[in-house]
Each structure stands twice: as C-alpha cells, then as structure tokens.
C-alpha cells in the first residue's frame, strides 16, 4: 500500500522552494535516502525518506513552493519497512541530516592566556552544543596555526551518523594552535583550537554574543559552500590538496544544493568556477555538465593532445589516511597514460563481445607445433588471431580506417598493419606487424616472437611501433573472461582476447565440450555501427572455428 510522504517541519513558516528531486517513480529507496531538497531564504534542507520502499508517485516538481504538511511523494513500503516513522527528518526538535543550522561554537577564555598588554587575548574555541550527538568525527580541519580567520570562516567539519556540521569561527582572530586532527572523535565542549583575538574584535564578538545569534545560525548546507571555500583557502600552502583553479577563486561563495555538490565532487569540478543559471544564480546539475563539456571542448590541445591528465581533479593528500610512497612514472608510462586518456576522451567506445569455437584450431595448432619444434618456431594462438583479423579487416574495410579530425571523411588504408599490445615491466608497448595479410602464419608467429622479445628488452625502434591500422590485446595467457580494451587512436577498433575455456555447447541434440575463446571488440562508434561490429566479431568467430576459411 502506498503511503504519503509530506513536507516535514523545515523551520520556516513561509513556503520553501523545491530545488531538487533526488528520486524518480520506480526508484527503490532506503530509509534516510534524500528524496527532495528544499530551500528557504535561510537554509537548504534535504528531506530524507522516513522508511524504505518504492516510489510510486511524485507530487511536486522543481520550482514548486511547498510548506509543512504538503504532499511530496507516495512510497510503497518495502518488506523491511515495518516501523513507520513519521514523515519528519528526525522528529520536530531535531533537524534533518544536512539541514540543521550550524551550531554556534562555544568560546571559552583560556585561563592560562588572558588579555595581553596590546588588548589582544587568547581564547579556546570548543565544540558547540551537539545535542545528543557523542563522538562526532572530525572529517576536515580547515585551518592551521598562524592562519588569520574571519568571523564565520569554517574551522572544521564534523560528521555524525546523521549530519555533517561545519563549525564556523565565532570571531575573527589568528589561530594560535589547532588541538584537533582529522579522525578525532569530539563531543560538546571539547577544545578545537586557540585563537588570538585583537581587543577590538574580542569586544565586538562579545557584543554580538550578547545580542543576536543569527550570524552564527547559518544553514549548514549553504555553509557547505564555505567548507569548499575554506578548504581552498587553508589547504594549498600546507598540503598538496587544493587545485590551482580552486585556489584562484578563494572567496567566491557557492550556491548549490547537496546533489549538485556531490556531482561536482564526483566529477572533480570546482563549483566556485561554475556559473549558476538557476534562481538566485543557484548552480544546477546542468550547469556542472555544461561546464565540464565546455572545458573538454576548449582543452583539446591539453588533454586530447596528450598534454596531461588535467580535468582539475583535486590532488589528494593520501598521507592523511596512512603511510604512502610516491613513485615517479617513467616516460613510457606517462606517454601511454596520455594516449589512453586522449583515446578515452575523444572516442565514443562500445565493446562487442563474442565467442569463437577454437576446438579444431587448437588441435591443429598443437599438431603443427610438434612438427615445427625442430625449426624452433611456435605457432601461438595470437598468430592465428592476427591472420584471422587480417582477413576480417579485408572483408570489413571500415575497421581498417581512420576518421579525419574534421569528422568530414574516413581515410581507408590499403594496407593492413596489426599492432600487438605487449606487456613489459616498463609498461605497455604496441609493436606492429606490417602487411599482416600478406604473411604466412609462420612468418607472423616468428615476427611476433621477435617483436615481443625486442619489446621486453627495450629494443623496439619507433618504426617498429608506427603505422598500425588495427590492434589486438591478448590477455589469454593470463586469464579473465572479457574486458573492454581502449581503441588505439587513430585506429578505430581493437580486439581484446581473453582466456579460452572448455564450455558445454548445444549441438542440436546434446551438449558437447568445445574450447571457447572470448573476444571483446572495442570500436569507435563514430565510425562503426553496432550491427557492423556484431557482423565483424561473428565473421571472425567463424574464421577461427574453421581456419580453412582464411585461405579462401
Ligand atoms: N587462452 C588460453 N591460453 C592462452 C591464450 C588464450 N587466449 N593465449 C595464450 N595462452 C597460453 C599460451 O598457449 C601459452 O601457453 P603455453 O606456454 O602452454 O603454450 C601461455 O598462455 C602464454 O602465452 P604468451 O602470453 O606467452 O603468448 P601469447 O602469444 O598469447 O601473447 C603477448 C604474447 C606478447 C601478447 C603477451 O605476452 C602479452 O604481453 N600479453 C599482455 C598484453 C596486454 O597487456 N594487454 C592489455 C593491454 S590494455 O588493453
């Protein structure tokens, strides 16, 4: 039976805006999952689901104005949702996760350090009243000793089971010492830091404290913007954890809902740089996507051209979580990382999977290898794959083409050069077997052995790795059942090969054991249609099932 979820007490008697709907009809939600985000003049409030269930209807849309008791959505309770909590975040007195006003931090005058002759004095800032929350974890310390703080600047972020809370500085001053570190558990009254306050600001703080507490009761979610801001301000000099882009706009406050902030964090986007197109310049998800798109379009030389791995991903100081060691990448790994990144960013990839019955081929290979042993030649499965791919590329010339950068034309190549991904201790290299379609199996096997050895001994020349028209990446000697190789630009397709395995195959009247080779063909969807990819792998599979077809 469906039940209504209504707008809880959000601390405002006036209607509030629906700024995000975090679920859709048909979604299965857990208790406490955010279902909608509401915004008043003062606070952004995430409304959590009071119980688990399936969303059957949504009664509001973004832009609606709602007040306490209005219907939000209908939920069909899940099995486990026996206890029907009221449609209120945490009861009337408590505020919903991520929505409560930032508690006003307590300031105690440090007894050991009273007022100096210049009128300044040192005070201890302590954890404000957290209600019944005990042992909240410090998830971020946003300031360091020596920092000059503005009143209201975030000094730390605490997290409990129910909410994350930003603790703002109660007044301006200079941080004398920080008592806490990330990971510490704190409760009401625990010391956070000591602050030297000039006589003037100490006085005004006292006046303010005696008057209204409104300045300190800024909504938590809005203050999340300040969390980012404070991070940008406090971190870069001491830790390598802020991006230069972020540091370049330290003071811009960010107006965005929690889901948008989450998206930005996941995409490594500094929200301070994203123009908001929503009401009151609020940043919407579309704004984040548009900003990323614009960056990608404007950065072809840097990212697609191999200039680095920048998407303004924040550098993370992993040492805060435990011991670390930095390994400088060698040139080969750096270059291949750039090439792979460029391909990944510029080529819309699809991977087509198929199987090939190689039972007869494997029997033939073993038989031939016995005969060839005296000559010191080993016909590998890969040699057969090269020969079969060369044949398939002739039959499907689009797979042997390149797309002009303008996107206006395809370049068809009347030669078939197949690159083989070779794993070496220094990284991945792709030597090329030139004119693979004109070589015998034995020639391919010998050349491949030579190239793989040269690769492992770092003897490959640039000429050995140039001019490929198609690539094969074989992990069959290692294991796995399927994978998605990345197209080796400017090629348009790459064949991934996994480990062959004996499988029961229905022959029309019974299951028979057949040696089955998994094939994974990744291709550039701008050039190759899905149907053609399926035809290609199917054709390849037929060739491998009966290699005599390669001769036809
Ligand atoms: N299924 C089952 N067994 C396989 C197999 C498959 N698909 N492919 C190879 N094998 C077996 C071989 O028969 C061989 O066994 P025997 O020694 O008993 O004959 C063993 O695995 C080792 O093969 P190999 O790896 O030495 O030779 P290969 O021709 O298969 O591969 C090479 C050569 C250079 C491709 C390989 O050494 C290599 O570097 N592979 C990794 C490529 C890679 O990293 N790709 C990922 C790139 S990212 O997309």
């Amino acid at each position: 039976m469906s039940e209504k979820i209504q707008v809880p007490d959000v601390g405002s008697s006036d209607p509030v805006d629906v700024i995000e709907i975090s679920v859709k009809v048909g979604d299965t939600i857990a208790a406490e999952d955010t279902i909608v985000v509401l915004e008043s003049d003062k606070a952004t409030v995430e409304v959590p689901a009071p119980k688990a269930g399936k969303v059957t209807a949504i009664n509001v849309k973004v832009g609606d104005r709602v007040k306490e008791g209005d219907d939000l959505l209908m939920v069909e309770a899940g099995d486990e949702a026996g206890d029907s909590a009221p449609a209120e975040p945490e009861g009337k007195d408590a505020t919903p996760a991520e929505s409560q006003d930032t508690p006003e931090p307590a300031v105690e005058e440090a007894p050991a350090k009273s007022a100096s002759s210049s009128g300044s004095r040192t005070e201890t800032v302590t954890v404000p009243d957290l209600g019944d929350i005990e042992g909240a974890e410090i998830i971020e310390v946003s300031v360091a000793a020596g920092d000059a703080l503005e009143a209201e600047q975030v000094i730390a972020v605490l997290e409990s089971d129910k909410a994350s809370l930003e603790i703002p500085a109660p007044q301006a001053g200079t941080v004398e010492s920080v008592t806490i570190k990330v990971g510490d558990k704190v409760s009401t009254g625990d010391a956070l830091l000591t602050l030297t306050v000039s006589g003037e600001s100490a006085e005004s703080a006292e006046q303010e404290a005696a008057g209204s507490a409104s300045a300190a009761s800024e909504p938590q979610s809005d203050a999340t913007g300040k969390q980012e801001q404070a991070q940008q301000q406090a971190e870069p000099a001491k830790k390598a954890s802020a991006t230069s882009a972020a540091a370049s706009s330290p003071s811009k406050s960010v107006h965005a809902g929690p889901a948008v902030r989450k998206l930005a964090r996941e995409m490594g986007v500094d929200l301070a740089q994203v123009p908001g197109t929503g009401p009151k310049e609020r940043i919407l998800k579309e704004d984040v996507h548009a900003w990323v798109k614009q960056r990608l379009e404007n950065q072809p030389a840097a990212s697609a051209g191999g200039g680095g791995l920048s998407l303004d991903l924040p550098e993370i100081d992993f040492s805060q979580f435990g011991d670390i060691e930095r390994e400088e990448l060698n040139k080969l790994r750096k270059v291949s990382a750039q090439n792979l990144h460029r391909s990944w960013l510029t080529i819309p990839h699809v991977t087509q999977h198929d199987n090939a019955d190689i039972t007869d081929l494997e029997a033939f290979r073993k038989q031939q290898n016995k005969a060839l042993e005296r000559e010191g030649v080993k016909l590998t499965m890969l040699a057969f794959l090269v020969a079969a791919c060369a044949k398939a590329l002739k039959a499907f010339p689009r797979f042997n083409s390149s797309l002009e950068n303008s996107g206006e034309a395809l370049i068809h190549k009347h030669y078939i050069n197949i690159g083989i991904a070779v794993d070496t201790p220094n990284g991945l290299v792709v030597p090329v077997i030139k004119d693979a379609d004109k070589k015998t199996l034995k020639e391919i096997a010998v050349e491949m052995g030579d190239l793989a050895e040269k690769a492992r001994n770092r003897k490959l020349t640039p000429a050995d790795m140039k001019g490929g028209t198609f690539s094969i990446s074989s992990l069959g000697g290692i294991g796995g059942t399927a994978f998605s190789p990345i197209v080796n630009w400017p090629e348009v397709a790459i064949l991934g090969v996994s480990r062959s395995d004996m499988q029961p195959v229905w022959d029309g009247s019974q299951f028979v054991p057949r040696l089955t080779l998994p094939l994974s063909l990744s291709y550039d969807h701008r050039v190759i249609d899905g149907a053609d990819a399926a035809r290609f792998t199917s054709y390849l599979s037929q060739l491998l099932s009966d290699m005599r077809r390669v001769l036809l």
Side-chain angles (χ1 to χ4, degrees), residues 232-266:
Q232 292 156 13
Q233 288 170 331
E235 300 283 287
K238 300 197 165 56
K239 298 176 189 170
S241 63
T243 65
S244 55
S248 68
S249 53
S251 60
K252 184 181 170 194
S253 71
V254 170
H255 186 31
V260 173
R261 290 176 191 281
K262 184 161 176 273
L263 176 72
R265 274 198 302 278
E266 284 166 0

Side-chain angles (χ1 to χ4, degrees), residues 365 378 380 382 421 423 456 473-477 498-500 517:
R365 189 178 80 88
K378 184 178 169 192
T380 61
L382 203 49
D423 174 41
R456 292 192 180 111
S473 173
S474 173
L475 295 173
S498 299
R499 192 166 189 77
S500 59
L517 182 72

Side-chain angles (χ1 to χ4, degrees), residues 340 358 362 365 369 378-383 385 420-424 428-430 448 451-453 456 472-479 483-486 494 496-501 515-518:
L340 287 165
I358 56 163
E362 184 62 2
R365 189 178 80 88
N369 272 338
K378 184 178 169 192
L379 284 184
T380 61
M381 182 54 68
L382 203 49
L385 281 159
I420 307 293
V422 178
D423 174 41
T424 78
L428 192 66
V429 285
V430 188
M448 226 169 52
L451 287 173
E453 194 172 328
R456 292 192 180 111
I472 301 179
S473 173
S474 173
L475 295 173
I478 303 167
F483 65 107
S484 302
I486 295 180
I494 179 170
V497 183
S498 299
R499 192 166 189 77
S500 59
D501 198 15
L515 188 63
T516 305
L517 182 72

Side-chain angles (χ1 to χ4, degrees), residues 72-88:
L72 286 174
L73 43 93
M74 302 291 288
V75 167
E76 201 167 80
D79 292 342
E80 72 279 26
D83 58 329
S84 55
E88 272 180 32

Side-chain angles (χ1 to χ4, degrees), residues 86 90-91 99 175 250 271 375 394 413 442 472 490:
E90 293 289 339
S99 72
V175 178
L271 279 179
E375 295 179 41
K394 276 200 156 168
K413 292 157 231 170
K442 219 165 97 177
I472 301 179

